[in-house]
Amino acid sequence: MAAMVQYEYRVLTFPRDATRPDIRQVLAEHAEYGHWELARTRLYLGGHRRVWLRRKIIRVQRTA
């Protein structure tokens, strides 16, 4: 029976005055050190940006 993949999510919110290189640096650090991947981004009317990151939840099954 194939196990269904489960993810945990983290939501980051950036203010409207955050620059693209700053946002890119934060996302790169989360991806490299926390093994997060980009799931979704939203740019809102006021200019703030919300980013959803996800990573797999790895469940270890006991073998003995």
Side-chain angles (χ1 to χ4, degrees):
M1 186 165 134
M4 195 169 155
V5 177
Q6 294 181 343
Y7 293 98
E8 64 177 313
Y9 290 88
R10 173 173 286 177
V11 180
L12 302 175
T13 304
F14 297 98
R16 58 183 264 177
D17 59 345
T19 63
R20 290 187 114 175
D22 292 339
I23 294 172
R24 186 181 302 124
Q25 180 67 32
V26 170
L27 294 177
E29 288 173 1
H30 276 84
E32 186 173 349
Y33 300 116
H35 303 288
W36 293 95
E37 62 183 28
L38 185 64
R40 181 179 181 185
T41 62
R42 292 286 302 239
L43 180 61
Y44 290 96
L45 191 60
H48 72 278
R49 184 180 308 261
R50 189 167 287 160
V51 177
W52 284 263
L53 303 174
R54 72 177 186 181
R55 66 180 172 189
K56 288 182 184 178
I57 298 174
I58 299 173
R59 305 251 186 239
V60 179
Q61 294 182 359
R62 187 174 179 175
T63 58

